Amino acid sequence: RFKQMGLGFEKLTLDIAGDWGLKGLFPSSLEGQAQMRTKELKNGRLAMLAVSGIFTQGVLWNAHHFPFVPQAASSDFAGG
């Protein structure tokens, strides 16, 4: 089904994982490319930690919807 949508993964390797072919702001030097890939990995890991913190807060406060605050506190923010 992915091949029908034009998303065949037969060329995917660990070296180009997540590469969608958008090279507009990508550095032309090999050193710059390696630095950019490292930055992307670090930002991705930071984003995963942030999302896990959001889910943990929601579970601990038993508030499984945005803004993940307890019901008693959320009425205070709404002006009620």
Side-chain angles (χ1 to χ4, degrees), residues 11-55:
K11 298 179 191 173
L12 185 63
T13 65
L14 290 177
D15 294 333
I16 59 166
D19 185 9
W20 287 82
L22 303 173
K23 302 287 185 196
L25 299 175
F26 201 63
S28 57
S29 69
L30 292 177
E31 181 181 330
Q33 291 175 5
Q35 187 178 18
M36 185 66 75
R37 285 190 176 105
T38 303
K39 288 178 181 180
E40 285 192 36
L41 279 175
K42 288 183 178 181
N43 286 333
R45 290 173 182 160
L46 182 63
M48 286 188 279
L49 281 172
V51 168
S52 67
I54 290 170
F55 290 145

